[in-house]
Structure formats: C-alpha cells, structure tokens
Amino acid sequence: SQTIHQWPATLVQPVGSPLSLECTVEGTSNPNLYWYRQAAGRGLQLLFYSVGIGQISSEVPQNLSASRPQDRQFILSSKKLLLSDSGFYLCAWSRDTTDTQYFGPGTRLTVL
Amino acid sequence: AQSVTQLGSHVSVSEGALVLLRCNYSSSVPPYLFWYVQYPNQGLQLLLKYTSAATLVKGINGFEAEFKKSETSFHLTKPSAHMSDAAEYFCAVSDKSNYQLIWGAGTKLIIKP
C-alpha cells in the first residue's frame, strides 16, 4: 500500500530564516505531487504541483519554491520566511492530475 | 474552468440529527467529484468519490453524497450525526482544462451534544 510522509510535524522559525519541508511517498512510482497551504481560517491553497522529476508548476507567486529531486520526494523551500508564510502545509500525491489526492499528515509552520 | 461553492462556512447540528453539507459546482459536468474530511491538525482524508458509475455514492463513516446534474450539486449527508463527525469538510471537483482538483472553501461541522 501507499504511504505519504511529511516532516517535520511542527516548526517554529524566525522571520528571515530559511525553510525546508520534505515530503516522500512510498509504494508507488511516478506520482503527481502537490504542496498546499492552509492559513488560519482559510481553505486549501495549491502552491505547487509536479508531474515528474524536475517538473514543477507554480500556482501562486510567493517567496516559496519547490523541487523534486527524486521520483517520490517533494521539497518545499524558502530562502527568507515572512510572517505571512505561517500556516499548515500539506503534501499530497495522486496517480492522475484529476483523480483522488492522498494527503500527508501536514506540517504546522509558525513564523515569529 | 470549474468552480466549487460550499454553502456555509460553519454548520451546526445536534447529535443524532441529519447532517447536510452543500456543494455546488459550475455547469460543465466534471469527470470526478470528491468529499474530503479534515480533523484538527491532520491531513485530509477521502470520504467518497463520484466517478459517474452511480449517482448515489456511499463513503466511509456513514456518509453519502448524491450527484444531481440538473442542480449541479453534490451534497453530503449522514442520517445521524455523531460527536466524532466534528471536523472540516471539503468538496472538490476535477478540472480537465487545467488538470487539477478545484477545492471548495470548506465547511466546519459542529456537533452539539
């Protein structure tokens, strides 16, 4: 069966510090991968998605970036965090871009 | 492109009462429709999925949803609410034009004892 991991589970970072969140999927190959953010009291915001290694599509201009160095690894990064980057970050995978997405447990990021 | 509207950011029902969470999508018929549930500080979990095989879809935890093309709706129901159903629920539709899922804003379900 397939599983999706995210780490860390929680993170508190100062403004201006770098960020690296990691997501890995097990039990499947060539998945579509997604990064979402949930800000307090708001819905899901798609940040990035990837249909293959090195293929990243950005949905929202921001100071975040994503990379996919391996087939089942998806990384969300920032060089300098802003207060507005605080939120709950979710990674998801799917077999097809219009099919069921399966979510990881999420990372709670607080920028102070 | 598709769009999704979930009516009511918060819905409150008494324990044992009917749960009805509303979802409407834009007029073009999507290939798939989804309902997800999110418990506090957790990821989203798939409740059920419509794939055009049957208009009434049964999901986990006693939930079901009915696809109504004439009303462009995919409302989620459960006959009797439990305290454990308190969570946020998201409706999503697939959009072949940009190969993504389009998400509703979510509805928080509150269960009163």
Side-chain angles (χ1 to χ4, degrees):
Chain A
S1 64
Q2 300 82 22
T3 55
I4 178 169
H5 304 279
Q6 284 186 250
W7 62 89
T10 60
L11 191 59
V12 180
Q13 292 284 94
V15 170
S17 63
L19 173 73
S20 181
L21 302 181
E22 189 165 343
C23 171
T24 58
V25 180
E26 296 176 355
T28 188
S29 59
N30 197 30
N32 296 308
L33 296 171
Y34 309 84
W35 278 112
Y36 289 91
R37 176 170 60 198
Q38 281 183 300
R42 304 180 70 176
L44 286 166
Q45 180 186 33
L46 179 63
L47 301 175
F48 301 94
Y49 69 94
S50 171
V51 298
I53 295 175
Q55 300 178 62
I56 309 292
S57 297
S58 174
E59 290 298 302
V60 182
Q62 62 232 318
N63 68 321
L64 299 172
S65 61
S67 62
R68 185 170 177 174
Q70 299 180 42
D71 181 44
R72 290 169 289 175
Q73 184 185 30
F74 205 23
I75 296 173
L76 183 69
S77 304
S78 174
K79 292 181 180 178
K80 288 187 178 181
L81 283 168
L82 306 173
L83 286 173
S84 57
D85 291 324
S86 293
F88 193 49
Y89 287 81
L90 289 161
C91 182
W93 76 273
S94 70
R95 293 184 181 86
D96 182 274
T97 48
T98 58
D99 205 345
T100 306
Q101 292 184 12
Y102 300 94
F103 286 79
T107 295
R108 174 74 59 191
L109 173 65
T110 304
V111 182
L112 302 175
Chain B
Q2 289 282 355
S3 64
V4 179
T5 302
Q6 289 186 241
L7 188 61
S9 60
H10 293 77
V11 169
S12 181
V13 302
S14 298
E15 191 174 17
L18 172 72
V19 175
L20 171 61
L21 303 181
R22 299 177 188 274
C23 174
N24 287 87
Y25 59 92
S26 54
S27 59
S28 60
V29 179
Y32 303 134
L33 289 153
F34 306 84
W35 274 103
Y36 284 81
V37 60
Q38 185 181 30
Y39 298 101
N41 293 310
Q42 294 185 25
L44 279 71
Q45 179 183 6
L46 180 69
L47 270 179
L48 51 81
K49 169 184 170 181
Y50 167 75
T51 60
S52 76
T55 56
L56 183 63
V57 183
K58 294 188 182 299
I60 62 171
N61 302 339
F63 284 93
E64 61 183 33
E66 186 172 9
F67 170 68
K68 291 188 176 180
K69 183 178 177 180
S70 61
E71 299 177 7
T72 63
S73 69
F74 190 57
H75 302 331
L76 183 70
T77 61
K78 182 174 181 177
S80 176
H82 295 170
M83 296 300 293
S84 60
D85 294 327
E88 189 159 20
Y89 292 79
F90 291 91
C91 180
V93 301
S94 57
D95 186 345
K96 275 192 167 180
S97 67
N98 60 8
Y99 301 98
Q100 292 180 21
L101 291 190
I102 308 302
W103 294 88
T107 298
K108 283 191 176 176
L109 177 62
I110 300 162
I111 311 296
K112 298 179 291 186

